[in-house]
Amino acid sequence: MKAPTLSRIFQPRASLKNNLFESSSNFLFGSTTSGKAVNERTAMQTTAVYSCVRILAEAIAGLPLHVYQYRDDCGKKKDIRHPLYYLLHDEPNPEMTSFVFRETLMSHL
């Protein structure tokens, strides 16, 4: 009977797949220890992440937003006759208020 060699005794049971550099985000930030992919879509499916994004979007959407025009004397004044003023301040479309529009923009950002 032939004796087994050391290389046959200490063989790994399963080969490990090195997927550290499969995507650019894994290259920059490293991979997760669980091996599950984490990206914008999967993170937003987590209740805690979605709640934090919603709170930040509501806070920023609640801030006042005005359109200004620079004056010749290095000052500025509100320009309520500018075409973007109505869209940003009042109502961008019939289905959304300005708040909902800005909240949606911040959530998508």
Side-chain angles (χ1 to χ4, degrees):
M1 179 172 200
K2 189 175 180 184
T5 62
L6 286 177
S7 63
R8 291 185 71 196
I9 293 174
F10 295 109
Q11 285 182 351
R13 287 186 277 180
S15 62
L16 296 174
K17 182 179 173 188
N18 186 8
N19 58 2
L20 179 63
F21 302 118
E22 279 185 2
S23 71
S24 59
S25 63
N26 284 348
F27 177 75
L28 293 173
F29 303 112
S31 62
T32 61
T33 56
S34 68
K36 295 287 184 181
V38 177
N39 55 30
E40 296 88 2
R41 185 173 301 241
T42 59
M44 285 297 284
Q45 292 173 352
T46 305
T47 308
V49 173
Y50 178 77
S51 296
C52 291
V53 169
R54 184 181 54 83
I55 289 169
L56 289 172
E58 286 176 355
I60 292 173
L63 295 173
L65 180 63
H66 301 288
V67 178
Y68 290 96
Q69 179 184 22
Y70 287 106
R71 298 188 318 202
D72 293 333
D73 61 352
C74 297
K76 60 184 179 179
K77 67 173 185 168
K78 278 189 202 179
D79 189 6
I80 60 174
R81 287 181 274 143
H82 193 278
L84 290 177
Y85 182 84
Y86 179 77
L87 295 176
L88 295 174
H89 188 266
D90 296 330
E91 187 176 41
N93 60 51
E95 283 95 28
M96 298 176 119
T97 63
S98 176
F99 178 86
V100 172
F101 176 67
R102 290 184 282 152
E103 179 185 15
T104 303
L105 286 177
M106 289 309 302
S107 296
H108 289 216
L109 180 65

